[in-house]
Amino acid sequence: MTPYAFEILRKINERKDIVFSPLTTRSLEQYCRVDFFDGKSPELALAANGGILLENGVINKNWFEESKNMISDCYGEFEQGIRYFETDEYVYFDIRIVDELFVFTKSSAPLTTKAILNEVLDKTKVEVFNIGDKVYIFPKKLTKGLAIKRLRKLFKYDSIICAGDSEFDISMIEEADCGICPQFLSGQITSGNCIAFDTETRNFAEQILEYIQNL
């Protein structure tokens, strides 16, 4: 994020008519390293692909327990995936069950690792993703889109705007009242509520925040 984008975000966060809520695939530990506003936590934040809800920096225990119950049929797939990772010559990183919600490691040949996992795991229960050398085993129910649906039930917002730039973000963008993505991702968005920005010519975060600032 550029200094200009961050200054707009700071102003947006001070508005009374908007709730700024990060929604990230990062683990709780990784998310907690991020300092948005001089140590003050956002009012709401979602970590672990939406499996953990933080309210003013405090974990909502009911949400977390509901997340674990929701994916309880996936733990056998996690174990099977971990057994494969342990034999995969390309895996070179710690194999982790992140926040009890998904499996993560790194592979020097991620597409090969991903292809074999897709053969051995039950794809009705879990999905395998890779971003660069990172390989994830996610419960199919643990999506950012579902996190948005759960937020709607809990907080009754008038409107939700979501922005993202990766495959993980597609369900979230589609579930939002207004979704924002780069042009290269727009072809994968099936809903008609998406705004696509050209990220080749301008910083994506700046364009998102300018759009929201002018609402």
Side-chain angles (χ1 to χ4, degrees), residues 56-176:
N56 296 308
V58 179
I59 294 175
N60 182 313
K61 293 181 180 179
N62 290 336
W63 182 287
F64 186 43
E65 290 304 316
E66 183 181 83
S67 297
K68 291 189 290 183
N69 290 336
M70 185 177 69
I71 66 161
S72 60
D73 63 341
C74 297
Y75 289 112
E77 299 305 308
F78 289 177
E79 292 173 3
Q80 187 167 345
I82 289 169
R83 286 195 294 270
Y84 169 71
F85 281 144
E86 290 172 342
T87 65
D88 186 341
E89 62 180 313
Y90 299 113
V91 170
Y92 68 92
F93 195 74
D94 292 345
I95 303 163
R96 303 173 181 171
I97 297 181
V98 178
D99 296 325
E100 303 179 61
L101 295 170
F102 62 91
V103 178
F104 165 80
T105 192
K106 295 182 181 181
S107 169
S108 59
L111 294 180
T112 300
T113 298
K114 177 181 176 180
I116 296 175
L117 280 171
N118 277 326
E119 292 179 2
V120 302
L121 298 179
D122 185 344
K123 290 189 287 185
T124 67
K125 296 179 180 178
V126 297
E127 291 183 280
V128 182
F129 292 93
N130 82 281
I131 297 179
D133 59 354
K134 300 174 183 178
V135 182
Y136 302 83
I137 303 172
F138 272 107
K140 293 197 80 168
K141 298 173 184 176
L142 189 70
T143 66
K144 292 183 178 181
L146 181 58
I148 297 301
K149 289 182 180 180
R150 293 169 71 187
L151 275 182
R152 286 188 192 279
K153 292 180 180 179
L154 194 59
F155 295 104
K156 311 296 183 185
Y157 290 124
D158 293 335
S159 181
I160 294 179
I161 302 171
C162 293
D165 62 0
S166 78
E167 188 176 357
F168 289 126
D169 301 319
I170 291 173
S171 65
M172 174 185 73
I173 292 167
E174 292 180 340
E175 181 60 32

Side-chain angles (χ1 to χ4, degrees), residues 21-27 30-31 45-52 102 144 169 172:
S21 301
L23 171 45
T24 178
T25 304
R26 289 176 175 84
S27 68
Q30 289 172 322
Y31 169 75
L46 289 145
N49 225 46
I52 296 175
F102 62 91
K144 292 183 178 181
D169 301 319
M172 174 185 73

